[in-house]
Amino acid sequence: RKEVEQDPGPFNVPEGATVAFNCTYSNSASQSFFWYRQDCRKEPKLLMSVYSSGNEDGRFTAQLNRASQYISLLIRDSKLSDSATYLCVERGSSASKIIFGSGTRLSIRP
Amino acid sequence: DAGVTQSPTHLIKTRGQQVTLRCSPKSGHDTVSWYQQALGQGPQFIFQYYEEEERQRGNFPDRFSGHQFPNYSSELNVNALLLGDSALYLCASSPVAGGPGELFFGEGSRLTVL
């Protein structure tokens, strides 16, 4: 089983829609989680950290469910510029090792 | 303030050859991690360097080796190249090993093995 699993998509939604995707992780000792965004042929960049209490940054909301070992990302009022691949990331019990999921591809259409 | 820089940006090698990729971390960062990203996949952790030592290693064979220099820059070496080594190699730096901070990535070195 992969350490971090994501639905690869692609998710194809109209502009203005709300879209959500999940990521599951296998290591119950994982300490922290992040969502990264990667544009086509570019490097990944941090979108937001994920906290147990949930956190919101503008149109983006991230949630962590430790009991079920998944994290989620919700994007409201999606924009064309949100089209990208979203990577779920966990930092395990060995904090030096940061594991990426394979990414979920999101495409926003006009 | 320069971000993470990698060189070369693109290179083509043949099977069996050896390659060296280079990375300079973001100013103020002393920890460098290397990732391999195949097409359509997420980055796969190769190893991390801190204080010129390999601190953590992913599931990669010994053909993959690295080095960190006193100025915190790093090299990734791959010997006996295979077709499957074709990928984007990403270097990421962070302020301190094991810290909670984000990873800052370079634009990557795209390796094609023929």
Side-chain angles (χ1 to χ4, degrees):
Chain A
R1 184 184 171 186
K2 285 185 177 180
E3 293 172 273
V4 178
E5 293 203 59
Q6 294 183 249
D7 182 340
F11 285 66
N12 190 324
V13 302
E15 199 173 2
T18 296
V19 60
F21 22 87
N22 290 340
C23 162
T24 59
Y25 62 94
S26 59
N27 183 2
S28 59
S30 293
Q31 295 186 356
S32 49
F33 303 88
F34 310 87
W35 284 102
Y36 275 70
R37 170 193 169 128
Q38 187 172 25
D39 293 303
C40 187
R41 303 187 75 82
K42 293 285 192 180
E43 73 275 19
K45 293 183 179 178
L46 179 68
L47 177 65
M48 59 196 305
S49 303
V50 186
Y51 304 119
S52 296
S53 55
N55 50 303
E56 189 174 309
D57 183 2
R59 298 181 293 108
F60 298 82
T61 300
Q63 297 274 359
L64 166 63
N65 185 317
R66 285 197 180 273
S68 301
Q69 293 186 206
Y70 75 86
I71 69 172
S72 63
L73 179 67
L74 178 79
I75 306 174
R76 290 181 299 277
D77 187 25
S78 53
K79 312 291 184 190
L80 295 176
S81 58
D82 294 334
S83 297
T85 295
Y86 291 84
L87 297 160
C88 169
V89 180
E90 68 145 354
R91 184 191 294 274
S93 52
S94 168
S96 300
K97 193 173 176 182
I98 299 175
I99 305 299
F100 284 76
S102 56
T104 297
R105 204 150 47 93
L106 174 65
S107 178
I108 308 298
R109 62 179 188 270
Chain B
D1 176 25
V4 179
T5 58
Q6 292 187 243
S7 63
T9 54
H10 295 81
L11 68 166
I12 299 173
K13 294 283 188 178
T14 56
R15 279 180 297 174
Q17 284 190 310
Q18 179 264 344
V19 67
T20 297
L21 308 178
R22 295 175 178 81
C23 170
S24 292
K26 182 177 169 64
S27 177
H29 290 186
D30 59 8
T31 302
V32 173
S33 301
W34 285 93
Y35 289 82
Q36 179 196 66
Q37 187 172 27
L39 199 61
Q41 299 295 315
Q44 298 294 307
F45 177 75
I46 303 175
F47 41 52
Q48 182 185 77
Y49 277 85
Y50 170 65
E51 291 186 335
E52 301 179 50
E53 287 188 16
E54 184 182 294
R55 297 291 176 168
Q56 188 71 237
R57 188 178 183 94
N59 189 25
F60 278 80
D62 292 345
R63 299 186 296 110
F64 290 77
S65 63
H67 190 78
Q68 185 178 35
F69 300 94
N71 66 353
Y72 309 123
S73 67
S74 177
E75 286 182 351
L76 164 66
N77 301 292
V78 187
N79 294 323
L81 285 167
L82 304 173
L83 295 179
D85 294 332
S86 296
L88 178 68
Y89 288 85
L90 293 161
C91 170
S93 73
S94 53
V96 62
E102 69 182 277
L103 292 174
F104 290 81
F105 284 87
E107 294 187 352
S109 295
R110 192 167 296 279
L111 170 65
T112 301
V113 182
L114 302 176

